[in-house]
């Protein structure tokens, strides 16, 4: 079962890791309504996915995918929702009620001055 990556442009390392290791990934670069329509139609036809990874909001375009719709698709078709909230940060954006896993860049939590590396 591949993972889904996208529903807003994902951090590049997340995409590369998912593409190179494991069962593969389906990449949606925009997180648009038509991307989610495509996902829903694949699920209806029986395709299954392990997880959907997305940024909320996305970096650098600041587009925000429809997390309510993603949550309801995840509940219906049984995949995990992993949200990277680095740009908004948990002080400003509460994605916990809609995500199964929330990730954030340690580098950016530690410092916004490019003088620290948290690293994955
Ligand atoms: C949106 C986003 N997620 C994750 C990361 C990875 O962060 P770190 O290497 O600090 O864990 C970055 C780093 O630039 C990022 O911009």
């Amino acid at each position: 079962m591949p993972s889904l990556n996208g529903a807003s442009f994902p951090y590049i390392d997340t995409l590369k890791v998912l593409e190179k290791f494991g069962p593969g990934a389906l990449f949606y670069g925009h997180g648009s309504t038509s991307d989610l329509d495509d996902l829903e139609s694949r699920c209806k036809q029986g395709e299954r996915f392990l997880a959907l990874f997305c940024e909320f909001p996305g970096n650098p375009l600041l587009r925000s995918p429809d997390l309510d719709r993603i949550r309801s698709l995840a509940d219906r078709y049984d995949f995990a929702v992993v949200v990277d909230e680095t740009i908004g940060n948990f002080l400003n954006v509460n994605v916990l009620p809609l995500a199964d896993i929330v990730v954030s860049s340690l580098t950016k939590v530690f410092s916004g001055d490019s003088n620290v590396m948290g690293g994955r």
Side-chain angles (χ1 to χ4, degrees):
M1 244 190 303
S3 297
L4 285 161
N5 202 322
S8 92
F9 199 87
Y11 182 57
I12 195 68
D13 286 359
T14 305
L15 176 60
K16 291 300 161 201
V17 166
L18 291 171
E19 283 177 346
K20 283 191 178 172
F21 305 101
L26 177 65
F27 174 49
Y28 290 117
H30 301 291
S32 60
T33 302
S34 63
D35 282 347
L36 293 181
D37 289 344
D38 182 74
L39 168 62
E40 184 163 12
S41 124
R42 284 170 183 268
C43 290
K44 274 185 185 154
Q45 286 164 34
E47 244 178 287
R48 288 295 173 262
F49 301 95
L50 288 170
L52 182 145
F53 294 75
C54 66
E55 289 187 14
F56 190 97
N59 181 17
L61 300 178
L62 301 181
R63 280 204 195 108
S64 297
D66 182 347
L67 272 188
D68 287 318
R69 184 170 176 201
I70 289 172
R71 178 74 262 157
S72 93
L73 288 172
D75 291 340
R76 199 170 335 140
Y77 296 108
D78 195 27
F79 57 81
V81 177
V82 185
V83 180
D84 182 335
E85 50 83 278
T86 295
I87 296 305
N89 187 269
F90 56 83
L91 291 176
N92 303 304
V93 179
N94 183 14
V95 296
L96 267 179
L98 298 170
D100 295 299
I101 298 173
V102 178
V103 297
S104 200
S105 161
L106 272 184
T107 303
K108 292 184 181 75
V109 168
F110 289 160
S111 168
D113 292 332
S114 304
N115 57 358
V116 172
M117 195 152 91
R120 287 187 178 186

